[in-house]
Amino acid sequence: MEPNRRRRPTGARRVTFAAMALMLGGGGLVAANVYASASEGGWGGQSPEATGQVKAAGMATIDCPDVGTQLTKVPEAARADVDRELAQLDQQIAAAYQQLQQSAPEIRQDPAAADGPIMNPLKDKRKATLDRVADAIGRAGDRPEGLDALAACTMRPAESAPGDSASAESTPPAATQPPADNGQAPGQGGNGPVAADYTDIKSVQPNVPNPAKGSDASGGSFTSECGVNENGLRNSDNVIVAPGVSNGAHHFHDYVGNQSNTAFASDDDLAKADTSCVDKGDKSTYYWPVLRLQNGKQEKDAGAPGGGTEGNAGEIVTPKQVTITFEGNPRGKVAEMPRLLRIITGDAKSFVNGPANANASWSCTGFEDRQLKDKYPLCPSGSDVVRTFRFQSCWDGRNTDSANHRTHVAFAGEDGACPEGFEPIPQLVQRIVYDVDAPSLNDGGKTVPLFAVDSFPEQQHKPVTDHGDFINVFDENLMREMVDCINSGRTCGPRGDDGGDKGGDQGGDGKGDGQNDNGGKPGDDATASSPAEAPQTDATVTPTGGTKHDGHGKGGKQDEPGKAAEPTETTEPAQAPKSDRTTAPADRTTAPGSKGTETAEATPSVSATDSTGVAAVPQTTPPPATGTEPQTSGGSLAETGAQLWPAAIGVLLALSGLVMFLRARRLRY
């Protein structure tokens, strides 16, 4: 497959999700959750089945009722015990799924063969755990009834049924599907992904709405620059869902911001921690499942829980760019987020739960008006993979968390209005860019490896399971400044107010209209600036008169999909250029044959140019320790001569002065 040629990435446009109230009743348990659903165009522009379930592909999996989402009323005194028991349910499912994998050939011939050794024992274990959950709640309040009904699980067969959300156009024909090996799906971990999990982004119709803003809209934005997890801070914990439980996520997360996030971190630990963010007033923790290449590489977690032992295997890809932006509300002003507010967006178990809570979007640079939820994008040459999380932006005004970690926050409606009883808060938008090639589906990723997010084992690395987590540990004064900035319509961040647009533009007008106020060409893109002490390894910044516009604002002009970008006009650098991929920290590894191994013979990147506008060979010199001084780069012969002439003239003048001095001495004596 031809290596991807670099081009300017384009920014994400605004994605709005409709609010959908879902009532989960039965047995004394009633949930009034406000969830996100795709506002227009279905899933990637394709209509799902009436049930909304995402069909299985590759191999059978285990489908158990998600108890946690239905426990909406748990007394505070019982929450620690309940969280531990819910984590035990996840461990039981993971163990049963591993048994299912090992028995796949027999079960394929006779699905009922799974009942005796796998499904019935799982039900018994779950029932005992659910009894302990009920007892814990009963000791602190009213004992819930009907939990036993959630004990039984079902085995979902591997065959995809008619009405799968993948269209005939986006799903490769059966002849191109990589063959299963002993009932296991392709992928290094043996549990996915499969070819049907990918679709060509060019086959997706634009599906991102652009809602109108009211006269009282809070149209500003605040950007926090926290790096790309250059130092490789990762674990398989989840301090929100499973506090105090090691490997509570059963998959690995990338962390930026707060540097002390483990399952055992207390609120006080988070408040005292260091942060990777430029503004040290932001100690918030931002985390999401890692992205891996299924290329056979053994990471250090290959034999560890949450890693290879649970089907999460392959090379971990460090993001190329991470943009963290807080945006306003199209209907009114936003209120301050309460300190230690916890928000989870998306659902790590959407493959078996259905897409009601799914909220991650997948796309490609240059095509971000086309968003996917249940497919990974196949990006054309020169385009990067983009993950976008738009978090809930309505708060109940009282709670920083809830028993199911959802009911204290909600999504705004299509018109931007919050549900009754909720008030608008700044909306966290995370945009994560990866420099990965479109995998070769015809050979199961052998030529160009498949990529996928980490997941619970039984979720089989489906893109619909993607999710993001956030804990607000902003300094209260900085949070106040953020809200004032957003409500007053300004664009702010650690580089100063109105120092750039929502993608980190230094000197742009912040309107997202493709116009750069600092010398850049209209439509140019910006990349998020990195902390001075931890430079990002981003290869998309040119030493232009102004950092390029990222397109994160409304109405940003995008490059035409499929075409290489033109060289940008350049002047003297306004700031130090960021290091490229060749100056990445040692923990960043690149698969053989990937874009990270391009040589001078490959088509040069237009995103790293010299002063003539011609693509320059990436520098291999490490960046300065402070990250603020421009890197030295070789220039053309003409440039070298132009720099030598002043020095030569100076030497001649000095020699002339010396001769005149000596002659004067002779005349004197």
Side-chain angles (χ1 to χ4, degrees), residues 8-343:
R8 295 192 301 263
T10 57
R13 294 184 183 175
R14 189 177 181 85
V15 183
T16 301
F17 300 101
M20 179 173 66
L22 180 63
M23 302 300 295
L24 299 174
L29 297 172
V30 179
N33 300 347
V34 181
Y35 295 133
S37 62
S39 58
E40 290 185 10
W43 291 65
Q46 297 143 4
S47 298
E49 245 188 341
T51 61
Q53 292 286 357
V54 180
K55 296 301 178 181
M59 70 170 299
T61 193
I62 292 178
D63 185 350
C64 298
D66 190 350
V67 178
T69 60
Q70 302 190 43
L71 289 176
T72 60
K73 294 182 179 180
V74 177
E76 187 67 33
R79 286 190 181 179
D81 291 336
V82 170
D83 285 338
R84 282 193 293 271
E85 296 301 339
L86 293 178
Q88 184 65 29
L89 292 177
D90 289 334
Q91 294 173 9
Q92 294 163 1
I93 296 171
Y97 180 78
Q98 290 175 345
Q99 287 182 278
L100 181 63
Q101 277 189 304
Q102 296 166 0
S103 306
E106 296 83 359
I107 294 173
R108 207 166 44 240
Q109 296 176 0
D110 180 15
D115 291 344
I118 301 175
M119 303 307 295
N120 291 338
L122 175 61
K123 179 181 178 180
D124 294 338
K125 293 177 183 177
R126 284 173 59 84
K127 184 180 181 304
T129 302
L130 291 171
D131 286 342
R132 292 194 296 271
V133 169
D135 290 342
I137 296 174
R139 286 192 296 269
D142 295 333
R143 192 179 195 278
E145 301 296 333
L147 284 182
D148 288 353
L150 304 176
C153 301
T154 58
M155 188 190 73
R156 181 181 295 182
E159 294 77 22
S160 293
D164 192 345
S165 59
S167 67
E169 179 182 27
S170 63
T171 303
T176 66
Q177 298 271 7
D181 181 15
N182 294 327
Q184 294 185 346
Q188 187 175 347
N191 63 338
V194 294
D197 293 327
Y198 302 82
T199 192
D200 187 346
I201 193 65
K202 291 184 289 186
S203 70
V204 180
Q205 295 300 311
N207 58 7
V208 177
N210 188 18
K213 287 190 174 182
S215 58
D216 197 33
S218 47
S221 68
F222 182 95
T223 298
S224 191
E225 300 172 8
C226 303
V228 296
N229 195 22
E230 301 93 334
N231 57 335
L233 179 60
R234 304 181 179 102
N235 61 47
S236 60
D237 298 344
N238 193 326
V239 70
I240 297 179
V241 176
V245 179
S246 295
N247 191 38
H250 293 261
H251 55 266
F252 271 71
H253 291 118
D254 268 322
Y255 293 90
V256 300
N258 199 288
Q259 298 294 287
S260 295
N261 190 331
T262 71
F264 305 96
S266 66
D267 290 348
D268 189 54
D269 293 332
L270 296 175
K272 293 179 179 178
D274 192 11
T275 177
S276 67
C277 301
V278 171
D279 195 322
K280 299 307 176 183
D282 182 8
K283 294 186 178 182
S284 301
T285 178
Y286 309 87
Y287 57 107
W288 52 83
V290 300
L291 187 80
R292 296 186 195 246
L293 295 178
Q294 308 292 299
N295 58 3
K297 179 174 180 177
Q298 298 292 309
E299 291 278 11
K300 60 184 179 182
D301 65 350
T309 62
E310 297 185 79
N312 294 306
E315 177 184 356
I316 296 175
V317 182
T318 299
K320 171 181 175 179
Q321 176 186 348
V322 175
T323 305
I324 296 172
T325 307
F326 294 86
E327 297 182 353
N329 183 281
R331 291 283 298 273
K333 306 305 182 184
V334 296
E336 296 175 21
M337 289 181 171
R339 187 168 171 83
L340 298 172
L341 174 69
R342 287 155 161 79
I343 307 180

Side-chain angles (χ1 to χ4, degrees), residues 606-630:
V606 298
S607 59
T609 60
D610 60 21
S611 61
T612 65
V614 178
V617 177
Q619 299 295 314
T620 57
T621 305
T626 62
T628 59
E629 299 178 359

Side-chain angles (χ1 to χ4, degrees), residues 343-512:
I343 307 180
I344 299 173
T345 197
D347 182 4
K349 301 175 182 178
S350 287
F351 181 50
V352 296
N353 286 348
N357 281 354
N359 191 42
S361 294
W362 292 86
S363 190
C364 305
T365 55
F367 299 85
E368 291 184 52
D369 60 344
R370 315 172 190 200
Q371 296 288 327
L372 296 159
K373 292 192 183 300
D374 62 345
K375 301 290 177 184
Y376 294 116
L378 298 175
C379 300
S381 177
S383 178
D384 291 323
V385 171
V386 182
R387 296 164 79 178
T388 303
F389 302 103
R390 298 188 73 89
F391 283 68
Q392 295 89 319
S393 59
C394 300
W395 173 51
D396 69 5
R398 301 182 305 277
N399 302 295
T400 58
D401 200 0
S402 50
N404 65 354
H405 314 293
R406 295 189 183 276
T407 54
H408 64 298
V409 288
F411 287 95
E414 292 185 14
D415 61 353
C418 286
E420 184 177 356
F422 288 79
E423 60 183 311
I425 56 175
Q427 182 177 40
L428 170 59
V429 180
Q430 291 177 181
R431 180 174 177 268
I432 309 168
V433 181
Y434 295 92
D435 185 10
V436 293
D437 291 309
S440 54
L441 302 184
N442 59 337
D443 62 2
K446 291 181 180 178
T447 304
V448 181
L450 305 170
F451 63 83
V453 294
D454 268 17
S455 72
F456 283 92
E458 75 282 358
Q459 304 297 317
Q460 300 184 2
H461 305 290
K462 301 301 180 184
V464 74
T465 66
D466 200 11
H467 56 281
D469 299 72
F470 165 70
I471 302 177
N472 168 36
V473 199
F474 268 84
D475 177 84
E476 291 181 357
N477 290 332
L478 184 59
M479 174 59 65
R480 195 170 299 116
E481 291 175 16
M482 177 206 293
V483 168
D484 179 68
C485 172
I486 292 173
N487 285 338
S488 61
R490 293 179 288 130
T491 301
C492 311
R495 310 298 179 181
D497 288 6
D498 293 317
D501 71 27
K502 297 175 185 177
D505 184 3
Q506 304 294 316
D509 58 14
K511 297 177 182 178

Side-chain angles (χ1 to χ4, degrees), residues 662-669:
L662 293 175
R663 291 184 64 181
R665 286 175 60 87
R666 291 195 199 99
L667 291 174
R668 181 178 177 182
Y669 295 105

